[in-house]
Structure formats: C-alpha cells, structure tokens
Amino acid sequence: MPASGSPSLTAPPLDVDAIRADFPALHQTLYDGRPLVYLDNAATSQKPQVVIDRVRDFYARENSNIHRGVHYLSQQATEAYEQARETVRRFLNARRRTEIVFTRGTTESINLVAATFGRSRLERGDEIVVSAMEHHSNIVPWQMLCQERGARLRVIPVDDRGELDEEAYRRLLTERTKLVALCHVSNTLGTINPVQRMIADAHGLGIPVLLDGAQAAPHLPVDVQALDCDFYCFSGHKVFGPTGIGILYGKEALLDAMPPWQGGGDMIETVSFERTTFNELPHKFEAGTPHIAGGIGLKAALDYVEARGRTALARHEDALLAYATERLTAIEGLHLIGTAREKTSVLSFVLDGIHPYDAGTLLDRLGIAVRTGHHCTQPLMQRFGLPGTIRASLAFYNTTDDVDALVDGLHRVRSLLA
Amino acid sequence: MSTIAEREQEIVDAFALFDDWMGRYEYLIDLGRELPPLDDAYKTDDYKIHGCQSQVWIRAEERDGRIYYEGDSDALITRGLVALLIRVLSGQPADAIIEADLKFLDRIGMQEHLSPTRKNGLASMIKQMKLYALAHGQTARS
C-alpha cells in the first residue's frame, strides 16, 4: 500500500516458513502449552539467529575496545564496528559514512538533536512543529527545549482517519519555525505520512526537518537523499537487531555545525585543561565506549533484511495488513483506529464495551502478545477520546494463521467480557 | 465475623472448582461485575491508585476499629481483583490488614498479577489498602 515503497509485482512469494525458522523466539509455548503468537512488533521485533550468533561471536572472539587499540583484537573490532556504520549508510542511502551517528536508540537520537542543534538555534519566540500523532519521545525533548528557550511547540492536527492535516501544516510553517519533527510512520496508527511532500514544504521556507523513523525503518525502504530530510532516527531493536543501539543520520553540513553533546573519550582530538578540540564526524557525537556488540549485531540484522529482500518482505506485510484489516473489521463491535490510505502493518482498535486492558490480559493467556494502552502517544489518544487501544503490529514473519489466532482470540474475549 | 484467613480459604475453594484458567478468569470477571459501583464522587485523583493501565479507585473508612473498603475500576478484570481484595480485607481490624500476606492470590493462580511489572497495579492496590488501614488504625488509637 505504500506508494513510494510499492513492491514490484514480479517479486517471488515469500517463504515465510523458512523465515520463521530463522527466529528462535517465535517457536515457544506459553502458559499451558499455547504457541506464542507475537503481534507486538511495533514495540520490539524478534531477532534472527544470525544476529544472536553475531553478538555472541563478538563477545567470544573479537571483544576489545575500538578506535584506540594498536592490538589485533581492537583493530578487528574497530573494523567490524565501522563496517556496521557503512551498512547503515547503505541501508539509509546516506551520502557519507560520517553522517551516521550511533546512539542508544531513536529517543537518544532525538535528544541529541534537541540538545545540540536545538540549543544552538532556538531563541525566545521561535517555534518547533510536531504532529499530534508523535510518540512521546518526539514530543518531550522538544517540549523541554522550548521551555528552556522560551520557544513554542506547534502541533499539526490529525483527522479521523489518522492522517495529518497538510493544509494546517503549511499554515503552521512561518519564519518563526526552526524545525519540523515528524514521525515517518505512526507507531499507534500505522499511518505513513507524506513526508516527502512535507519536507519539500518546509524546505521551501528554509526549515530543516527531522524524521522519527522508528516505525518506518522495519517496513519501508528509506532513502534519506531522496527524502532530503535533514535528520533521520531509528532504533536497532525494531529492525530485528539488538536493543540499546540506534542511529542518527544528519546531513554533514548540519552535523558539522552542531556543537558536541556528551563529553568524554573518543569524541575529542586533543585535551588539555585550557582547551579541548573535538574529534571529526561522526565521532564528535560518540563519547565513551559505545555499544560495540549492538552496532555489529545491527549490521547482521540489516544484512539479514537485505538478503531476504526488502521488497518481498514489504509485499508480504502489505498482504497481511489487507487480510488482517478485512478479518478484524468483520468482528462485531470492533472499530479500527487509524484507517489512513497509506499504512504499515499496524492495527489499532477498540471493542465496544471492553476495556483494552481486559482484552490484552485475556489474549495474553491465549498466547497472543499484543500491546494495550496509550502506546506512548497520550495526546493522540486524547485526540480520539480514548483511554487506549489494543494494537496488533505485524512483521514479515507473521502469517495469516497468526491473524486467525488473533481473530479467534478476540471472539473469545468478547464472549467472556461483552 | 470471619477472619482474613477464613475468607482467603473460601476464595481458594471457590476458584478450585475451575480446572482451567478460562474458568478462573470467568469467575474473576463475574466477581468484578458483582462489585457494587463506587459513587462517582469518589472517582477522583484523591482515591486513584497509580501504576494501573486501567483506572482504579479505592476508598476506606473506619468503624469500631475495623476498616471498610469500597473500590471500582473501568476494566473488568481489574474490578475483579479489587472485589477479591475487598472480600478478604473489608471489615477486618487494621492490624490484621497490615499483617495480611494475601498468599491466596498465589493459590488461585493470580500471582502473575502481583508482579510490579504488570500494569494492573494489584501491588499498588494492596499497598494503598494497607496504608489506609495504617492511617485509620492510628486515628482510631489516638
């Protein structure tokens, strides 16, 4: 369904059984022997065996600190870590490896931009534009910055389908706007935002744009040059990689002009008590020993996705989304929240007269892992007047059987609670 | 009036009639449905239990050295848990409430709800009920 990443019709069908065999966590039973049906991929994804093996091998053989050792292991580890950076560059189609900064995750990437770019550019009376569908991690850092600077957060409204009001967006862009911070894909609704157009609108007024790609990177091809975004953030653990590793992409000129954030080892060139000079990009933003195993594991994850074929994976997810949408909407009293025309495989919904928490608890006992609650998007829940939703989020290793299990589970939930 | 231990045993016996989790949850949900609703006047932040994904309110009052509870939730399973705690603790002496180990939750297969990582806040509810007992018990003695 994503027009931009529309999979070609000639791609071979996906061998989902073979893919599932790569993910050990999917093959377990819970409680009284119920097979796990994992539908919480927007929270985090499971890891293929190659990622688990790569991380274990790093600790078993290559473990050493990077960027400073003259010894063999250190050189091996440094080489592997920098290769991971190159893989991320390719994954995002960034121009240069120096534009890829390793962080702990999307949240840290956003905070880094807020603390450096934001602090150096924002003045009293300035504005930052976000949308009503942002995750708290793309609201709170900007809110804190605005409070500190006497600046203001402006919010793009969301319509009933879960799409952004682009006209309102264009009206919000003024000479006071210093940054637009926007999710590429909504974690709660699955909406794929028309970011290309929105970036062009902002750039028309010289306003830089940060994209929160946490929910896009696992599902869509991302090309930061084609998008022309100024910053792009995503998390390793949502793209089948380890937790604790994430990415900040930034255009070189912007990263260069930004002051460093955290001080420490690796981010310096020379240090004396009078004066410290800072290392070049991207190391300027990578103080201290990084999550080396995480970076190397992330490379294994991205290589895996690449090898399986991003187009084929996306096509399978699109088919699953269509199937799940049809089956879920046939359930009496079920209302989908988020029916945008362009969506990833996220299905948020409510059931008449049933609290999401009750439904989630019973589904869990049936072995079905979904997320319930506000999904770290409280302003969006307020927009829809809901205390929360039930969210099933599908990955390429999910099947129509998983969707059927969810539908059967929801019928049982309804018979118990309605 | 039956003691906390006696009431716990009654509940354990009732849950023992069900041989699968579905039956036990169905019973818990029924207990939730049967719990008299809390007056809306008490559904305020003052009576709200934090740490729950659903909203939970509990209030207490002291009469003749015993603590009486009322509570409510907008989720039925949580309401069932509130009903269980009220059934065991309401009308008991403050000291006994403070001392109660509530092991019956293990014995009826609801221990999974006690983990602090669960979002239903059962642990917070118990803590708040004991705090009420402590506060009212002290008022009663002074």
Side-chain angles (χ1 to χ4, degrees), chain A residues 345-359:
Chain A
S345 44
V346 169
L347 299 113
S348 240
F349 54 92
V350 291
L351 293 163
D352 283 341
I354 294 175
H355 196 284
Y357 173 77
D358 285 333

Side-chain angles (χ1 to χ4, degrees), chain A residues 358-372:
Chain A
D358 285 333
T361 303
L362 294 175
L363 288 173
D364 169 58
R365 290 298 317 213
L366 293 164
I368 301 165
V370 294
R371 174 102 180 251
T372 62

Side-chain angles (χ1 to χ4, degrees), chain A residues 69-86:
Chain A
V70 294
H71 61 78
Y72 180 80
L73 285 187
S74 175
Q75 287 173 23
Q76 292 285 301
T78 303
E79 179 62 22
Y81 194 64
E82 291 307 321
Q83 270 174 12
R85 200 188 303 275
E86 169 59 22

Side-chain angles (χ1 to χ4, degrees), chain A residues 54-105:
Chain A
R54 187 65 191 91
V55 170
R56 192 199 53 207
D57 286 354
F58 169 76
Y59 283 122
R61 284 206 310 267
E62 299 153 273
N63 179 52
S64 55
N65 213 330
I66 56 169
H67 294 151
R68 52 201 99 173
V70 294
H71 61 78
Y72 180 80
L73 285 187
S74 175
Q75 287 173 23
Q76 292 285 301
T78 303
E79 179 62 22
Y81 194 64
E82 291 307 321
Q83 270 174 12
R85 200 188 303 275
E86 169 59 22
T87 299
V88 174
R89 183 205 65 74
R90 210 171 56 231
F91 184 77
L92 294 177
N93 192 33
R95 275 173 212 87
R96 293 181 189 85
R97 215 197 278 197
T98 47
E99 294 176 318
I100 305 297
V101 178
F102 281 116
T103 63
R104 280 191 298 147

Side-chain angles (χ1 to χ4, degrees), chain B residues 73-99:
Chain B
S73 170
D74 55 356
L76 267 180
I77 291 175
T78 315
R79 215 155 188 274
L81 294 169
V82 173
L84 281 179
L85 293 176
I86 289 179
R87 189 170 281 206
V88 169
L89 298 177
S90 193
Q92 300 291 341
D95 289 349
I97 292 167
I98 294 161
E99 295 296 317

Side-chain angles (χ1 to χ4, degrees), chain A residues 357-358 365 372 412 416, chain B residues 22 33 53 76-77 112 120:
Chain A
Y357 173 77
D358 285 333
R365 290 298 317 213
T372 62
R412 292 186 81 175
L416 276 167
Chain B
M22 197 64 129
R33 284 189 215 279
Q53 207 178 74
L76 267 180
I77 291 175
E112 67 202 48
N120 64 27

Side-chain angles (χ1 to χ4, degrees), chain A residues 55 80-81 108 227 260 270-271 286 371 376 379 385 396:
Chain A
V55 170
Y81 194 64
E108 189 174 70
L227 289 171
T270 61
V271 177
E286 296 179 353
R371 174 102 180 251
C376 297
F396 54 70

